[in-house]
């Protein structure tokens, strides 16, 4: 249940990877293309899932680290990864069930919608467009939009500012402890979906105001 609101909710900030779109297949494919170009062995899908949520830099560094490859390969790896991801963005990913219904419920509740992800903004906008979700969002901010990424509260505070709202009026909807920690520090109420990535840890262990198994349940959380 959401905390007793001192101010009514006016907007929702929605995370992308693990919340709106299951992008594990894209990340896995792009990383394996990168590894192939570097003549390194492939990485398993389940391992990649644990690295998602802290942006591309973290994903690449964690992958190199997992394979025991030298960190000095990072600059080269980044170039290969960016080229691969740009080429296959959206190909191996799909919108989670309940997403369009959940976004419609948020809209019907009168909330403006912003998408805030740690993914680079260019990739985020392309993916939302490819999946037919772009028109749902007034604002889209990627991990390169601000000086720091989630779990830092800065991206949330900046998004609230862009919406012209106080954090207490803005609901954060995400899938991981990065979203929850950023929301708590910014002063936004937070709902977590239980089907996303969260670094391989159960999402119920993360402090949040509510948990939903599908975005289609979000209307009930708002009404509670
Ligand atoms: O790590 C990423 O690039 C994706 O992160 P997100 O969950 O903030 O969309
Ligand atoms: Mg996420």
């Amino acid at each position: 249940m959401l905390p007793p609101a001192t101010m009514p909710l006016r907007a929702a900030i929605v995370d992308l990877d693990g919340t709106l779109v299951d992008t594990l297949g894209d990340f896995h494919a792009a990383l394996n293309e990168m590894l192939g170009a570097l003549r390194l062995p492939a990485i398993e899908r389940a391992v990649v899932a644990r690295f998602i949520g802290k942006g591309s830099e973290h994903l690449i560094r964690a992958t190199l680290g997992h394979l025991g490859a030298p960190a000095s390969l990072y600059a080269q790896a980044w170039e290969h990864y960016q080229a691969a991801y740009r080429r296959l963005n959206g190909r191996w990913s799909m919108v989670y069930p309940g997403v369009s219904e959940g976004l419609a419920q948020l809209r019907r509740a009168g909330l403006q919608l912003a998408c805030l992800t740690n993914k680079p903004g260019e990739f985020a906008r392309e993916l939302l467009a490819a999946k037919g979700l772009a028109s749902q969002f007034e604002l889209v901010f990627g991990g390169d939009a601000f000086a720091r990424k989630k779990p830092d509260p800065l991206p949330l505070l900046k998004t609230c500012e862009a919406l012209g709202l106080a954090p207490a009026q803005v609901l954060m909807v995400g899938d991981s402890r990065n979203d929850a920690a950023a929301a708590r520090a910014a002063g936004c109420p937070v709902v977590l979906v239980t089907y996303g990535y969260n670094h391989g840890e159960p999402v119920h262990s993360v402090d949040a105001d509510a948990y939903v198994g599908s975005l289609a349940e979000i209307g009930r959380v708002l009404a509670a």
Side-chain angles (χ1 to χ4, degrees), residues 18-182:
T19 302
L20 293 171
V21 185
D22 180 358
T23 43
L24 175 56
D26 286 350
F27 285 122
H28 185 224
L31 285 170
N32 277 339
E33 277 204 28
M34 170 195 95
L35 293 168
L38 296 171
R39 306 199 180 290
L40 289 168
I43 190 164
E44 286 160 48
R45 202 180 149 91
V47 177
V48 175
R50 299 207 302 266
F51 300 156
I52 299 172
K54 293 188 164 208
S56 311
E57 298 85 349
H58 172 79
L59 191 64
I60 296 167
R61 285 191 201 286
T63 297
L64 293 177
H66 176 77
L67 295 171
S72 57
L73 282 180
Y74 177 79
Q76 242 183 301
W78 167 265
E79 293 300 330
H80 289 300
Y81 176 80
Q82 292 291 311
Y85 204 99
R86 183 168 291 114
R87 193 162 13 83
L88 51 78
N89 189 3
R91 192 183 303 169
W92 304 110
S93 61
M94 57 173 202
V95 177
Y96 288 107
V99 163
S100 26
E101 214 178 314
L103 294 179
Q105 290 171 7
L106 291 168
R107 288 219 159 274
R108 276 201 297 276
L111 307 191
Q112 295 185 73
L113 297 181
C115 180
L116 175 65
T117 168
N118 278 346
K119 194 181 205 72
E122 174 200 349
F123 294 163
R125 278 183 287 274
E126 277 172 15
L127 183 64
L128 289 170
K131 300 299 176 190
L133 294 171
S135 62
Q136 301 280 348
F137 295 95
E138 267 85 59
L139 297 170
V140 178
F141 291 120
D144 46 2
F146 308 112
R148 292 183 296 279
K149 296 181 177 46
K150 301 173 289 182
D152 193 285
L154 182 78
L156 272 73
L157 293 172
K158 289 284 185 190
T159 306
C160 291
E161 202 180 300
L163 290 163
L165 297 170
Q169 299 174 289
V170 181
L171 176 68
M172 176 73 212
V173 182
D175 71 315
S176 81
R177 55 174 142 92
N178 306 306
D179 302 307

